[in-house]
Each structure stands twice: as C-alpha cells, then as structure tokens.
Amino acid sequence: MSRIQYLFDENCNARIMRGVRRRASQLNLMTVQEAGLGTDTDAAILAFAATEGRVVVSHDVRTMTAFATVRQQTNQPMAGLILIAQAYPIGQAIDDLVMIAEVSTAEEWQGKIVFLPL
C-alpha cells in the first residue's frame, strides 16, 4: 500500500499547501509550478498526476471536475482529485488533507473525485 502524494493545482490557495507541508513534512507534495506544469491545461495536469500517482488538490471545481469526469468515463487512470470550495476555512482544509494522508492509502483514491468537507 502506497502513501498519498499530493499535487497542488495553481488555483489552490498556497497557504493550504504551505500549511500541509508544515504540519506533515514527511508527505510528498508538490505544486504544478514545481512540476513544471504552471501553464498546462487541467487535462495535462490530471494526466501527469496519474502517471506520477499524485492526488490533485484544487479549488477549480468547474473545469477540473469536468476533465476528471472525462477521465473516469473513458477509463483513463486518475490518482484522485480533491476539490476545496474557496470559502472553506484554510485551517480546516489543512487538517482534512493531513488526516486524509494519515488514514488512507493512494490506492483508495484511484479514480475518485471528492469535495471537502468530507
């Protein structure tokens, strides 16, 4: 069973990523900018994440959900997508992402689209 690895979309509040990194420094996480995907489409980001086994974290509910749904419907691999509403409290989002990584495995997130709060 593999540990969860996160890929934070450029639309995700950077304070959430920094908070997760601070609270759980053992987690393997990166931003799309760190992966060299800062200008890539959502479809390309999801494809990269699937190849790397990374769960995508995003605020982009509209387009990221649409591209992830296409991946599901066409049986393309997807390591998972966690969507966070813009109004969701930053501290709660950090707590949720750390908890998800601590209590679940990467395999449990394959092909899933999940909205916070759980």
Side-chain angles (χ1 to χ4, degrees):
M1 293 197 204
S2 306
R3 296 194 72 166
I4 289 179
Q5 301 178 82
Y6 289 126
L7 176 65
F8 285 83
D9 186 27
E10 77 264 1
N11 294 339
C12 193
N13 188 321
R15 293 184 295 172
I16 295 172
M17 187 275 305
R18 287 192 306 266
V20 172
R21 195 171 261 168
R22 247 191 327 271
R23 287 259 321 272
S25 61
Q26 78 283 2
L27 285 179
N28 184 328
L29 55 94
M30 66 174 25
T31 65
V32 293
Q33 291 84 2
E34 291 169 341
L37 304 168
T39 60
D40 286 17
T41 65
D42 290 346
I45 290 168
L46 287 167
F48 171 84
T51 301
E52 297 292 316
R54 292 184 176 277
V55 176
V56 175
V57 180
S58 181
H59 288 302
D60 188 358
V61 173
R62 188 176 50 84
T63 61
M64 193 61 85
T65 304
F67 284 108
T69 300
V70 168
R71 290 189 76 81
Q72 285 178 323
Q73 292 171 343
T74 58
N75 294 317
Q76 295 178 58
M78 186 173 66
L81 173 62
I82 297 175
L83 295 155
I84 305 170
Q86 290 282 352
Y88 197 59
I90 291 170
Q92 188 62 52
I94 294 166
D95 290 345
D96 290 352
L97 292 169
V98 169
M99 181 205 53
I100 287 167
E102 289 176 347
V103 302
S104 60
T105 65
E107 291 80 9
E108 293 175 90
W109 287 88
Q110 293 294 316
K112 295 216 169 44
I113 300 172
V114 176
F115 294 82
L116 293 185
L118 296 175

